[in-house]
Amino acid sequence: MITKVHHVGVVVRAIDEALPFWRDTLGLKLHKLELIEEQGVKAALLSVGDSEVELLEPVVSDNGVARYLERKGEGLHHICFQSDDVERDLADMKAKGTEMIDQVTRVGIAGRICFLHPNAMDGALIELCQPLDDYAVQHPAGAPEAV
Amino acid sequence: MITKVHHVGVVVRAIDEALPFWRDTLGLKLHKLELIEEQGVKAALLSVGDSEVELLEPVVSDNGVARYLERKGEGLHHICFQSDDVERDLADMKAKGTEMIDQVTRVGIAGRICFLHPNAMDGALIELCQPLDDYAVQHPAGAPEAV
């Protein structure tokens, strides 16, 4: 079950140039800034109530974020919904025939995650996530075997 | 001050065709479906935790939503942050030189609202809102005179 908007992902050309607007003009609190080498992005997480804005800057030229920036320019990239059981929700969606980018969950910035395919929902890119501490309670032995 | 993500706006070609995904597959609760003639849109509001997804379908061809659909196709359109004082936040942003679409607040689906210009923040369209009942406490005589 989806419980809330976990974050909204925004693709930017340069986090350094974007931060003054999001942090200083909008007044959102920056709580994490990191380079995620294996995903080829720099990410800045800013708190807004119980949710976050996730600024994403590509640091390589051959990943989804870089291609999005080249094709569409800066802007809203995805919405991430928090699930109380991401494995069950992924299984339910696949059973309903929903087109997925990720056929199995993986670890991302927001916890245990999977992306739906934009074809599934009118061109909007949607991510599901479950924070890792919550996930570990349901899956103490780690992720279930991929089927 | 911004207090939370009020909603994320998604432009769709036809709400009737989009609803099965958002309501039935994602399981979000539809709590309002309305035709807003003066804005030229049909809107569906779905609850997700303390926030909403707002599906927008243009019913005319000459407004921003229709032009967005024609130019970019379906997808994430804007993010709306709730403010605890939308007049003060608008004044602050203008004082900081932020480019605005709306120079004064107006009544929208989410309450008393204003849109920032996408130039202001890296191509992402941002709306500020304050629910009308909350706004009325601070402005019992209505909106302040436009300056």
Side-chain angles (χ1 to χ4, degrees), chain A residues 109-127:
Chain A
I109 304 170
R112 198 84 199 173
I113 67 159
C114 59
F115 273 89
L116 282 70
H117 197 284
N119 284 351
M121 72 317 273
D122 324 305
L125 184 57
I126 292 182
E127 177 184 6

Side-chain angles (χ1 to χ4, degrees), chain B residues 20-97:
Chain B
F21 172 76
W22 295 90
R23 183 190 53 201
D24 306 331
T25 304
L26 283 182
L28 308 187
K29 189 175 153 47
L30 175 68
H31 72 85
K32 206 175 200 178
L33 184 60
E34 58 179 335
L35 174 66
I36 307 159
E37 298 222 28
E38 69 276 17
Q39 296 183 33
V41 294
K42 259 173 76 178
L45 305 183
L46 299 114
S47 307
V48 48
D50 199 23
S51 305
E52 291 177 351
V53 168
E54 179 183 287
L55 303 182
L56 293 169
E57 171 192 334
V59 295
V60 296
S61 58
D62 61 348
N63 61 8
V65 173
R67 283 189 293 271
Y68 181 94
L69 185 61
E70 191 177 316
R71 209 173 58 242
K72 302 202 175 187
E74 297 180 306
L76 300 179
H77 179 255
H78 68 273
I79 178 169
C80 177
F81 295 118
Q82 185 164 327
S83 162
D84 63 358
D85 189 341
V86 70
E87 296 292 348
R88 192 194 50 203
D89 281 347
L90 172 58
D92 279 357
M93 285 189 188
K94 287 164 72 175
K96 287 173 180 162

